[in-house]
Amino acid sequence: MKVVLLSGSKVGSKTRTAMDYTKKAITEKYPDAETTLIDLAEYDVVFSDGRNYLEYEGDTGYVTKTIMEADAIIIGTPIFQASIPATLKNIFDLLPVNAFRDKVASMIVTAGSSKHYLIAENQLKPILGYMKAQMVQTYVFVEEQDFHRKEIINDDVLFRMDRLVEDTVVLTNTYTKIREEKEAQYGF
């Protein structure tokens, strides 16, 4: 199973902190999973210009191809000005409409205020649904108060992150098994 963790911002540290914890949780609990963390702050991704994702080279090509090869994607996003960052939206724009078909997607959202809790429901889930993702319905919302010195200090948040990892892996394994059984019925 290939799992991609996507830290969807070029600035700040809270989302990356959450994604680092998530990667550690996956590698400890599911050592056979091939886990890749893509932090958009570390890549020079160009703006989408309508090309097929296979035509992009460099960092853009690496990021899009790695996402397309994944079985599961865990998206980490901060909330800026009551919205997901443009860097994350650009990634979605670089990918084809059916990019997440046969992929499981889950979300970790970081924000400075509880007022942004529903941004994932109103912005991120519709995009993922449109792109045909099988979504883990719950997501983890982490507020400013849950961090201290680049660490998550709220045990409830850590528990929910561990559960999100488990739910993502279980759902991915379940859909993979169903797909394999369905394909075996075709007999070719």
Side-chain angles (χ1 to χ4, degrees):
M1 171 188 332
K2 291 183 180 181
V3 180
V4 170
L5 294 95
L6 179 62
S7 186
S9 177
K10 284 199 157 294
V11 298
S13 62
K14 290 176 183 58
T15 301
R16 176 60 190 257
T17 297
M19 299 310 284
D20 285 339
Y21 178 86
T22 305
K23 183 174 186 209
K24 182 178 176 229
I26 291 171
T27 56
E28 285 178 0
K29 192 164 185 178
Y30 304 99
D32 292 339
E34 183 182 322
T35 307
T36 304
L37 172 60
I38 297 174
D39 183 348
L40 293 180
E42 298 173 354
Y43 295 90
D44 185 21
V45 177
V46 301
F47 285 109
S48 171
D49 61 14
R51 282 184 279 169
N52 183 300
Y53 78 95
L54 294 170
E55 296 176 30
Y56 289 98
E57 297 177 354
D59 287 350
T60 306
Y62 170 77
V63 169
T64 56
K65 289 171 188 131
T66 302
I67 290 170
M68 290 298 292
E69 292 170 0
D71 300 305
I73 181 167
I74 300 175
I75 298 168
T77 183
I79 302 301
F80 298 141
Q81 306 292 12
S83 183
I84 63 173
T87 50
L88 180 58
K89 178 61 169 81
N90 185 51
I91 295 298
F92 298 141
D93 292 342
L94 288 163
L95 300 172
V97 171
N98 295 329
F100 296 127
R101 182 180 304 281
D102 299 328
K103 294 182 192 328
V104 170
S106 56
M107 300 168 282
I108 297 171
V109 179
T110 60
S113 163
S114 61
K115 294 177 185 176
H116 298 303
Y117 180 76
L118 292 177
I119 299 299
E121 291 287 342
N122 295 320
Q123 292 181 12
L124 200 48
K125 278 188 176 183
I127 293 168
L128 295 174
Y130 178 77
M131 295 177 81
K132 313 298 186 277
Q134 298 296 327
M135 283 179 269
V136 173
Q137 290 302 308
T138 58
Y139 56 93
V140 177
F141 184 82
V142 193
E143 291 182 69
E144 178 84 29
Q145 66 191 14
D146 299 321
F147 291 95
H148 181 70
R149 296 186 180 172
K150 295 187 179 185
E151 277 191 50
I152 298 171
I153 57 170
N154 183 331
D155 288 338
D156 182 58
V157 169
L158 296 174
F159 173 79
R160 288 184 285 124
M161 291 174 80
D162 289 340
R163 181 62 190 260
L164 183 78
V165 165
E166 182 179 330
D167 290 348
T168 302
V169 170
V170 167
L171 194 58
T172 303
N173 286 336
T174 301
Y175 278 114
T176 300
K177 183 178 177 188
I178 290 169
R179 248 188 337 276
E180 288 170 353
E181 289 173 0
K182 187 69 173 170
E183 288 172 5
Q185 292 177 354
Y186 295 122
F188 51 81

